[in-house]
Amino acid sequence: MKQQIFKKFKPGTVFNPLKGKYLVSKEYQLVKLKFPSRLNAMAIDPSKITSNENMIFTPGEVVFSVKIYRNIVIRIEGKRNQISISDDSKRKSLIIHAVKLMQKALNVDDGLYISVDNKNELRHSGLGSSGALIAGVASAVNELYGKPISNGNLVVYLAQNHGEEIETDNDHIQQVQCIGGSAASGNFNDGLIIITGKSKIIATMKVPKEYKAVIGMPKDYTPLDAEKMMKLEEKNLDKFLVTGKRYGREIAYRMLHEAIPAMVDQNLIPIGNLIFDYRFKMGSIKNCSFSYSKMISIANKIAFLKNETDTPVLSLSSVGPAFFAITKDTNKISDIFKKNGMKSIIVEIENSKYKVSRKTFWNDQKIVEYFADKPPDVRIKTRLEKIKKRSKIKALDLGCGGGRHTKLLLQLGFDVYACDTNPEMLKTTRN
């Protein structure tokens, strides 16, 4: 029996740790985050869509960010190392994986509560739902601790430790190739992002507002479990290798000398032509057809849209079966998708990274009351009491918090000044 190439592992397993130590802050108690989705237009070197033992994949990719969001709430709560997830959050193994990855990277062990609104996700359809879920939760944890990990480093870390859920095994997740597109879409501005090498973002472009994305999803498609999907992909890896060897040089030349220079002028046509040729003429759609048997037939029926509409980009997303167009002719594209057996979704391009709001830990009323009622530090009190002629001495309580030492200074007769960055703490001190 042939050994499975892509294996399963326990959530939180780190294959490639981040280097160095990160200085975390517990300034925030709660973070709310809206994380967008990505459409994967093409691989830059499909011969690198392969297997390895180190979880580092280098085919590169071209992605578009769209306004399909995961709404994530995360707060410090519970016992140490306790991870609590709301009942209505789906795909809990991936949420746990994201949280544990970040706890290990930041060396923190606080209890955390997570809620994710992802009940309407289109799973295993080429829309990056797994990557966006992991990246969204990881980004929220990063924000909760003061964002010590840079956007670029976070993309690399998540790409090199990626997995997808297995429906029949909640204790493990499936090893899957990841280049970083979902994490990049949420962590970097601009609607078009180019990723090469070891998940490095080398170019971005703000997509003009007149363009929108139309996504077509075959109505009769049943999402496959990640483990089943990867077994199918293993059987087809040789096809990706052949395409890469045959067209790799042409793709690289056109990307470097045509597509990226045109992005400077917000011109989608050169990169759209390259994407179309890769998908429809270089065999990419055929290579990916293991995920859905009618994929080639649909591709043949919709290929004319590239030349007969104002549609610079027409592509399959990842390995499908979702097709998408970046277009001005949204209604026409949508109608054609529907006529060819697909559900159609029209969404705006997201030219910004994730959106975040935070509730400061030190302004939480319970925390304010705790520190306001806490007695002064005995060591500080003892030293202050030894100072003579206190009424003639100005004392600054820098970072006064709830005012426990400010009150002590006043009681001892100092001329006291106090300041703090947190308004709720200062309010208590003034009172």
Side-chain angles (χ1 to χ4, degrees):
M1 180 182 291
K2 184 178 180 182
Q3 186 179 5
Q4 185 176 351
I5 301 173
F6 295 97
K7 302 175 182 178
K8 57 185 181 181
F9 57 90
K10 287 186 175 296
T13 301
V14 177
F15 296 91
N16 296 284
L18 277 170
K19 296 179 181 179
K21 294 183 179 180
Y22 291 87
L23 181 63
V24 302
S25 165
K26 290 189 180 180
E27 182 178 355
Y28 304 117
Q29 181 199 26
L30 180 146
V31 164
K32 294 182 179 179
L33 189 141
K34 289 179 66 174
F35 202 89
S37 299
R38 67 99 174 109
L39 301 170
N40 180 348
M42 68 176 291
I44 296 173
D45 184 356
S47 69
K48 298 296 191 300
I49 301 175
T50 182
S51 63
N52 60 44
E53 295 296 325
N54 62 16
M55 290 283 284
I56 299 174
F57 301 96
T58 60
E61 62 183 329
V62 178
V63 298
F64 290 87
S65 300
V66 293
K67 294 184 177 183
I68 300 176
Y69 298 108
R70 276 137 216 88
N71 294 299
I72 300 164
V73 177
I74 185 165
R75 66 174 178 260
I76 296 177
E77 178 181 295
K79 299 178 181 178
R80 289 174 58 185
N81 291 312
Q82 179 181 340
I83 301 174
S84 302
I85 303 174
S86 67
D87 292 338
D88 57 348
S89 298
K90 306 301 180 185
R91 312 174 83 179
K92 289 181 172 59
S93 61
L94 298 188
I95 296 173
I96 291 171
H97 182 57
V99 172
K100 288 187 174 181
L101 285 181
M102 295 304 292
Q103 287 178 325
K104 291 178 179 179
L106 300 177
N107 193 29
V108 294
D109 60 2
D110 298 295
L112 296 176
Y113 169 84
I114 305 102
S115 175
V116 183
D117 180 4
N118 62 334
K119 56 183 175 294
N120 296 318
E121 277 185 328
L122 297 172
R123 301 180 303 111
H124 307 308
S125 304
L127 302 180
S129 62
S130 300
L133 175 56
I134 292 172
V137 172
S139 297
V141 176
N142 197 37
E143 288 283 350
L144 188 68
Y145 289 102
K147 201 179 178 183
I149 303 175
S150 69
N151 292 341
N153 284 342
L154 186 61
V155 170
V156 174
Y157 181 56
L158 297 178
Q160 295 180 1
N161 296 286
H162 181 67
E164 297 188 7
E165 91 279 13
I166 303 170
E167 293 179 5
T168 57
D169 185 352
N170 294 326
D171 296 325
H172 296 85
I173 56 178
Q174 175 66 47
Q175 187 185 63
V176 177
Q177 308 107 313
C178 183
I179 308 163
S182 291
S185 288
N187 280 276
F188 283 81
N189 288 320
D190 297 341
L192 170 58
I193 300 173
I194 310 296
I195 305 170
T196 60
K198 297 179 181 179
S199 303
K200 298 294 185 180
I201 289 78
I202 65 164
T204 67
M205 170 187 152
K206 191 176 293 297
V207 177
K209 291 183 179 180
E210 57 266 29
Y211 290 105
K212 293 183 179 180
V214 182
I215 303 170
M217 178 63 63
K219 293 179 181 179
D220 61 352
Y221 173 68
T222 301
L224 296 175
D225 179 82
E227 190 174 22
K228 296 177 182 177
M229 181 73 86
M230 291 313 299
K231 287 180 180 179
L232 290 173
E233 185 165 333
E234 286 175 18
K235 297 177 181 179
N236 290 272
L237 288 177
D238 289 345
K239 298 177 182 178
F240 293 97
L241 182 63
V242 169
T243 298
K245 288 185 175 181
R246 183 174 297 172
Y247 298 106
R249 288 180 178 273
E250 178 186 345
I251 292 170
Y253 182 89
R254 291 173 63 181
M255 182 65 69
L256 181 62
H257 295 285
E258 298 173 11
I260 292 178
M263 288 169 60
V264 176
D265 300 318
Q266 289 188 300
N267 181 359
L268 283 171
I269 293 175
I271 197 162
N273 291 340
L274 176 56
I275 290 168
F276 183 83
D277 289 348
Y278 170 74
R279 290 294 194 180
F280 289 82
K281 297 180 181 180
M282 296 179 185
S284 173
I285 290 175
K286 183 178 180 181
N287 296 346
C288 298
S289 61
F290 63 85
S291 69
Y292 178 65
S293 61
K294 300 178 184 178
M295 187 182 293
I296 297 173
S297 175
I298 291 177
N300 291 335
K301 292 175 182 177
I302 67 172
F304 75 95
L305 292 170
K306 179 68 171 67
N307 296 321
E308 296 187 18
T309 61
D310 195 345
T311 302
V313 179
L314 181 67
S315 182
L316 185 72
S317 186
S318 188
V319 295
F323 286 86
F324 75 92
I326 307 298
T327 181
K328 294 180 182 179
D329 290 336
T330 54
N331 292 333
K332 184 173 182 178
I333 298 293
S334 180
D335 288 343
I336 296 299
F337 279 1
K338 290 176 181 177
K339 288 178 182 178
N340 285 280
M342 293 188 283
K343 300 175 186 177
S344 180
I345 307 169
I346 300 174
V347 295
E348 294 183 3
I349 304 296
E350 178 56 89
N351 277 308
S352 300
K353 59 184 179 180
Y354 63 72
K355 297 172 176 60
V356 64
S357 59
R358 295 174 285 254
K359 182 178 180 181
T360 305
F361 176 83
W362 298 108
N363 285 327
D364 180 79
Q365 192 57 38
K366 291 181 180 179
I367 302 300
V368 172
E369 291 173 1
Y370 171 78
F371 279 99
D373 295 338
K374 193 174 183 180
D377 188 294
V378 175
R379 294 165 297 179
I380 294 176
K381 183 179 179 182
T382 301
R383 289 188 67 108
L384 291 175
E385 287 174 339
K386 293 179 179 180
I387 298 175
K388 299 178 180 180
K389 298 181 180 180
R390 293 190 287 265
S391 62
K392 297 182 180 181
I393 298 176
K394 287 181 168 47
L396 172 63
D397 190 354
L398 184 62
C400 61
R404 58 180 179 140
H405 292 116
T406 306
K407 294 173 186 176
L408 172 65
L409 288 164
L410 287 168
Q411 291 169 0
L412 292 174
F414 287 92
D415 182 8
V416 184
Y417 297 83
C419 62
D420 200 277
T421 59
N422 300 290
E424 294 301 318
M425 287 285 189
L426 275 178
K427 189 187 298 183
T428 302
T429 303
R430 287 194 185 99
N431 294 335

